[in-house]
Amino acid sequence: MPKPRLQKADTHARIVDIAAKRFRERGIHEISLADLMSEAGLTVGGFYKHFSSRDELVVEAFVASCQDAVSWSRGVSSYQQAVTEYLAENHRDHPETGCAVAALVGDVKSESHSVRAAYTREVRRNLEFFSSLAPADGALAKRQAGMFIFSACIGALELSRSIDDPKLSRDILRAVRKLLVDETPARRSLKRQKRRRASA
Amino acid sequence: MPKPRLQKADTHARIVDIAAKRFRERGIHEISLADLMSEAGLTVGGFYKHFSSRDELVVEAFVASCQDAVSWSRGVSSYQQAVTEYLAENHRDHPETGCAVAALVGDVKSESHSVRAAYTREVRRNLEFFSSLAPADGALAKRQAGMFIFSACIGALELSRSIDDPKLSRDILRAVRKLLVDETPARRSLKRQKRRRASA
DNA sequence: ATTATCTATAGATCTATAGATAATGC
DNA sequence: ATTATCTATAGATCTATAGATAATGC
């Protein structure tokens, strides 16, 4: 039963949004176009009136995923909040609305040039975000701290998602959260100062 | 042209070794049984005389991959050496002989119970290895430091492999290497002591 | 005769295309 | 008449199975 005049652009966006969720949730190749179209209430046949290829959808869906990260970062005002929320069990359990860089970190290796380019842009945006919040002095130190923090976050989140032991999964998130928040150079020197002031 | 009596066990091991390489290199589902058998100089038909299913090969290949990590860790005697070699460009460029936990961190989410169980065992073994070398005092601190270090290493390695900018890729490896080796709690307090001694 | 491997193929996907269909808007 | 979507299908995989074949070892 065709339903014309119901805004083609809306349908297009709906397909992209669904793909953006499912790709992060299950991986780019673990879901078929038929499944995605069906979730949108459509059939496979119509797909190529919206996209010239599967790859085109992958790129659009990835870019759409990044919007979730942009919205999230707007609500984050401190380094501690960023790390705590990124490494929360809630984020681990909901890859479909979470960080696309983490969710697709293994997948993109075998993707097209366009996908990898979009991915690299998003990595760079994330590094800038974490650098801007990083407790470090000077542009270079901030940049390096951003790379360090983002790497630790991605590694911990993906490890916690991949193992099948819930306790170990939680322990990894907690340990990395703790060491990132407590044991960062600037924070440590802050603590030292407090200790000194207290003992004086 | 069949070649009987040439040790079935040898052929079996050869298939497993090839799979162990290709799965790490390209991902578990980006390579077909036909391709693997062909690289072993065989045809697909014979596959099921060696394995009851594709999944069985995935498990055996994963376990075989872990041997590379065990051999590697035997030659590692210090924390600094572990981090430096793990985050080397050479490791980044040769996933086929490198850490299977990193190479398959995204892939295992959609794999069978057996694969995920083997993966979890290997994560645990790696955590123990990094914990044993970690510059931290006390069993708990060592355990947490191991999780922290391994997460940062996996995140940095996989990010460096996924992006398409060689310079950024190298910068990430370098920054994480530097901050892990220089800025670890125990090392920092060591440095502080040296500074104090020098100024005294 | 046994056994490892081969050829051939069934059955299940999945991407992509061709042409039909039905609701809107002139 | 136009246009968005549908049904149907071609062509390319990929896993798994059935039965044939050829080299060894009795």
Side-chain angles (χ1 to χ4, degrees), chain A residues 24-26 29-30 95 101-110 113 116-120 123-124 127 140-141 143-148 150-165 167-168 171-173 175-176 178-180 183-185 188 192 195, chain B residues 24-26 29-30 95 101-110 113 116-120 123-124 127 140-141 143-148 150-165 167-168 171-172 175-176 178-180 183-185 188 192 195-196:
Chain A
R24 276 177 286 181
E25 183 179 71
R26 309 187 26 191
H29 287 286
E30 313 306 311
V101 172
L104 304 177
V105 74
D107 282 32
V108 289
K109 284 178 240 169
S110 52
H113 173 69
R116 299 193 74 189
Y119 187 85
T120 305
V123 167
R124 208 169 256 120
L127 290 176
L140 179 64
R143 184 173 131 91
Q144 292 177 341
M147 291 178 175
F148 182 65
F150 193 44
S151 293
C153 281
I154 288 209
L157 185 66
E158 283 299 295
L159 265 184
S160 78
R161 282 172 175 167
S162 295
I163 60 183
D164 67 359
D165 178 333
K167 179 168 172 353
L168 184 59
D171 284 355
I172 292 174
L173 290 180
V176 176
K178 184 190 161 202
L179 289 174
L180 273 181
E183 307 290 331
T184 296
R188 214 180 339 262
R192 239 178 289 143
R195 245 177 285 141
Chain B
R24 275 178 286 181
E25 183 180 70
R26 307 189 25 195
H29 287 285
E30 312 305 311
V101 173
L104 304 177
V105 76
D107 281 31
V108 289
K109 283 179 241 170
S110 52
H113 173 69
R116 299 194 73 189
Y119 187 85
T120 305
V123 166
R124 207 170 255 120
L127 289 176
L140 178 64
R143 184 172 132 91
Q144 292 176 340
M147 291 177 176
F148 183 64
F150 193 44
S151 293
C153 281
I154 289 209
L157 186 66
E158 283 299 295
L159 265 184
S160 78
R161 282 171 175 167
S162 295
I163 60 183
D164 67 359
D165 178 334
K167 181 170 170 347
L168 184 60
D171 284 355
I172 292 174
V176 176
K178 185 192 160 203
L179 288 174
L180 273 181
E183 306 289 333
T184 296
R188 216 182 335 263
R192 240 177 288 144
R195 243 178 287 143
R196 248 175 254 153

Side-chain angles (χ1 to χ4, degrees), chain B residues 48-62:
Chain B
Y48 293 88
K49 294 290 173 353
H50 287 283
F51 308 92
S52 71
S53 66
R54 186 187 212 282
D55 185 63
E56 195 171 294
L57 172 64
V58 175
V59 174
E60 284 194 40
F62 178 79

Side-chain angles (χ1 to χ4, degrees), chain A residues 46-152:
Chain A
F47 181 83
Y48 292 87
K49 293 292 172 351
H50 288 284
F51 308 93
S52 71
S53 68
R54 186 186 211 283
D55 185 63
E56 196 172 294
L57 172 64
V58 175
V59 174
E60 285 194 39
F62 178 79
V63 171
S65 309
C66 300
Q67 259 311 307
D68 286 345
V70 171
S71 311
W72 171 70
S73 62
R74 279 202 232 281
V76 172
S77 52
S78 75
Y79 168 66
Q80 186 177 350
Q81 188 192 354
V83 169
T84 306
E85 289 187 13
Y86 195 99
L87 294 178
E89 289 177 42
N90 186 55
H91 187 192
R92 177 196 64 193
D93 297 336
H94 293 288
E96 75 277 10
T97 51
C99 177
V101 172
L104 304 177
V105 74
D107 282 32
V108 289
K109 284 178 240 169
S110 52
E111 292 299 317
S112 72
H113 173 69
S114 329
V115 175
R116 299 193 74 189
Y119 187 85
T120 305
R121 265 195 302 280
E122 181 63 6
V123 167
R124 208 169 256 120
R125 204 192 55 73
N126 272 274
L127 290 176
E128 276 160 24
F129 171 68
F130 280 96
S131 291
S132 75
L133 295 173
D137 293 322
L140 179 64
K142 263 185 178 305
R143 184 173 131 91
Q144 292 177 341
M147 291 178 175
F148 182 65
I149 296 159
F150 193 44
S151 293

